[in-house]
Amino acid sequence: MAIVLGIESSCDETAVALVNSERQIIAQRIASQDEEHAPYGGVVPEIAARAHAERLAPMIEAVLEETGIALPDLDAIAATAGPGLIGGVMVGLVSAKALAMASGVPLLAINHLEGHALSPRLADAELAFPYALLLVSGGHCQILRVDGVGQYRRFATTIDDALGEAFDKTAKLLGLGYPGGPAVEQLALEGDPQAVPLPRPLVGSGEPHFSFAGLKSAVLRAKESGQHADADIAASFQQAAIDCLIDRLRIALEAMGPVPALVVAGGVAANKAIRSALEEMAAKHSMRFVAPPLALCTDNAAMIAWAGIERLPLGQFDPLDVSARPRWPLDPEAEPARGAGVKA
Ligand code: KG4
Ligand code: ZN
């Protein structure tokens, strides 16, 4: 049985986990930085990097102590090496390198997106390749076909904001706290999803890409008009987002050909309204719907350790001089979406 230590520090969660090849999370710690970033309504990279640097070492010590596992017992040390906020990524990766160097345990530099992409297989032993993956988080909004470990084909990405980012910005406009996703979802429960006319950007387009910047601007105008209750704006925004997701997924699924399962991952997958819309869509396409438990949807280190477990049989360990990568597309062959700005 293999055991891998996972380290995650690419955004605002500092996390460590020990996972074994029997799909057991033996121990884990997650420290959220929500309080530090809340006053700014978003993640401040410098604050995030400092917080990771302060917290990571004691957390690693804690999971090792709790389980009685010593560094040399590990089969690999897996750390997120990108994409993400570079300062935070470097804190995690450099810590992993130091541990690997001191113990002689091999290092695995993991793509954070690969962690999200494979995490459903940690929770679900029945989930076999290939599957269609909707990855929706604060930084990413992609539709991929996952054919195996390291085999990802991207069919869609966002040309501007990620969906989680749109939720966070909507929350900010409505004066809700950070992170915004859960707050918008909560408020939407009290609103009418048809009350506010909002656009569905790119719906009907033949390419399955996403765009949410126009939706966010429309939310701003609705708020400034003073004509709508905040709950109605939240519900209408969420409905518009769902309509976009479903339409774009339909086009992407047509393009990728038959796959037996639709999997959703990333922080936005915590949204219950989105989950049930996706579940309905999967049923219509005779696909199995798989959503990992909520704790595996948002950023965590178990998914990074699990990606390490999945990578072990490939025997491709990383050298100690491997670089942290602020951008690191899962599918390097994918063309950038037309009209896309800076996001990979
Ligand atoms: O995967 P994640 O933890 O971090 C990134 O890699 O981005 O995703 C965080 C994102 C945030 O934008 C947050 O607002 C969003 O996921 N999110 C939600 C919900 N819970 C978290 N969005 C909509 N509804 C939710 N319930
Ligand atoms: Zn993430």
Side-chain angles (χ1 to χ4, degrees):
M1 186 181 58
I3 304 178
V4 170
L5 169 68
I7 298 175
E8 160 59 36
S9 59
S10 65
C11 192
D12 60 343
E13 248 88 42
T14 316
V16 302
L18 286 166
V19 173
N20 68 24
S21 47
E22 316 256 272
R23 292 185 158 78
Q24 288 164 323
I25 301 172
I26 313 169
Q28 67 172 327
R29 293 282 187 287
I30 300 188
S32 144
Q33 302 172 6
D34 287 351
E35 268 176 39
E36 282 87 340
H37 301 293
Y40 307 94
V43 179
V44 183
E46 176 68 23
I47 294 176
R50 279 167 186 265
H52 290 305
E54 279 162 19
R55 292 170 191 179
L56 193 53
M59 289 167 68
I60 295 170
E61 206 171 26
V63 292
L64 293 174
E65 232 168 58
E66 176 187 319
T67 55
I69 291 170
L71 284 177
D73 301 336
L74 298 172
D75 291 271
I77 297 168
T80 296
L85 300 173
I86 195 67
V89 172
M90 284 172 70
V91 169
L93 185 59
V94 168
S95 306
K97 286 179 183 182
L99 295 174
M101 189 161 64
S103 63
V105 172
L107 173 73
L108 285 166
I110 301 290
N111 184 316
H112 177 86
L113 301 176
E114 180 170 53
H116 280 302
L118 298 176
S119 68
R121 284 167 50 84
L122 166 57
D124 187 339
E126 312 282 292
L127 179 62
F129 301 117
Y131 50 85
L133 175 77
L134 171 68
L135 178 56
V136 273
S137 72
H140 301 279
C141 195
Q142 307 192 344
I143 302 171
L144 300 139
R145 181 182 154 120
V146 180
D147 284 303
V149 179
Q151 295 172 41
Y152 312 101
R153 198 165 149 215
R154 197 189 77 190
F155 285 82
T157 186
T158 177
I159 64 170
D160 41 56
D161 294 349
L163 183 53
E165 203 176 350
F167 267 92
D168 291 335
K169 287 176 176 172
T170 294
K172 203 171 175 181
L173 291 172
L174 297 179
L176 305 170
Y178 172 85
V184 171
E185 179 179 16
Q186 194 61 34
L187 187 59
L189 291 174
E190 298 158 26
D192 172 2
Q194 312 302 336
V196 186
L198 293 173
R200 269 76 175 151
L202 292 185
V203 163
S205 137
E207 279 185 307
H209 297 304
F210 295 98
S211 167
F212 292 107
L215 180 54
K216 176 202 64 191
S217 311
V219 165
L220 173 63
R221 286 192 296 275
K223 172 72 182 168
E224 285 180 346
S225 77
Q227 290 175 1
H228 303 286
D230 284 359
D232 286 343
I233 297 177
S236 300
F237 161 79
Q238 186 170 276
Q239 188 57 50
I242 290 173
D243 291 350
C244 293
L245 277 183
I246 297 300
D247 178 76
R248 313 290 59 220
L249 251 181
R250 187 174 54 77
I251 303 291
L253 290 177
E254 269 169 28
M256 77 174 67
V259 274
L262 172 63
V263 176
V264 62
V268 181
N271 186 292
K272 293 193 192 65
I274 290 177
R275 278 191 185 220
S276 57
L278 293 173
E279 199 164 3
E280 203 177 294
M281 159 138 210
K284 265 194 206 144
H285 284 70
S286 308
M287 294 168 87
R288 211 181 129 210
F289 177 66
V290 180
L294 295 189
L296 273 182
C297 280
T298 49
D299 285 350
N300 65 89
M303 72 181 190
I304 303 303
W306 175 252
I309 295 271
E310 293 256 41
R311 285 205 155 261
L312 282 179
L314 305 182
Q316 296 164 351
F317 297 108
D318 290 286
L320 291 180
D321 63 354
V322 65
S323 304
R325 301 173 65 172
R327 296 216 199 126
W328 186 1
L330 262 189
D331 175 2
E333 311 276 292
E335 303 268 325
R338 226 173 302 151
V342 291
K343 281 170 194 163

